[in-house]
């Protein structure tokens, strides 16, 4: 039941963000859905397989979050970046 509540909350926030009738949507519109993703990560780690695998899941999740944070920090902090370096953060053509 908790997983269904978390998934429903995320889906509601995500679909309302996706239906914004603008051509340009900023990331801060997605922040409420990110909060639900945080709960989903905690739920995943708490319901991971028994002990040794749970530690691996916890470490992997924290490491992945840290890697993404470090990678996207220049964008999140609005640091100056070279024009040709900007494409490093654009994984999909639709992001441009």
């Amino acid at each position: 039941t908790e997983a269904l509540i978390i998934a429903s909350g995320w889906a509601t926030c995500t679909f309302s963000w996706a239906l914004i009738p603008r051509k340009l949507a900023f990331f801060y519109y997605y922040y409420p859905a990110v909060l639900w993703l945080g709960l989903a990560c905690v739920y995943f780690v708490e319901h991971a397989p028994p002990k040794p695998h749970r530690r691996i899941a916890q470490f992997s999740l924290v490491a992945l979050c840290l890697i993404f944070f470090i990678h996207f920090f220049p964008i999140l902090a609005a640091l100056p970046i070279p024009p040709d370096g900007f494409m490093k953060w654009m994984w999909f053509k639709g992001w441009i």
Side-chain angles (χ1 to χ4, degrees):
T1 60
E2 294 96 359
L4 183 60
I5 292 169
I6 293 169
S8 299
W10 175 81
T12 301
C13 292
T14 300
F15 293 133
S16 64
W17 175 70
L19 295 175
I20 294 173
R22 296 184 184 159
K23 205 165 188 163
L24 178 65
F26 296 101
F27 183 73
Y28 61 82
Y29 296 143
Y30 187 69
Y31 281 163
V34 170
L35 297 174
W36 289 101
L37 281 179
L39 289 174
C41 290
V42 170
Y43 183 85
F44 166 74
V45 169
E46 281 299 312
H47 292 85
K51 283 247 185 211
H53 299 294
R54 183 174 295 165
R55 285 284 176 211
I56 293 170
Q58 290 170 341
F59 177 77
S60 299
L61 182 63
V62 170
L64 188 65
C65 290
L66 188 61
I67 288 167
F68 275 114
F69 177 77
I70 290 168
H71 178 71
F72 282 104
F73 183 75
I75 298 292
L76 295 171
L79 296 176
I81 54 175
D84 58 336
F86 183 72
M87 297 307 290
K88 178 173 127 179
W89 289 279
M90 299 297 110
W91 294 348
F92 303 107
K93 297 252 186 236
W95 287 5
I96 301 171

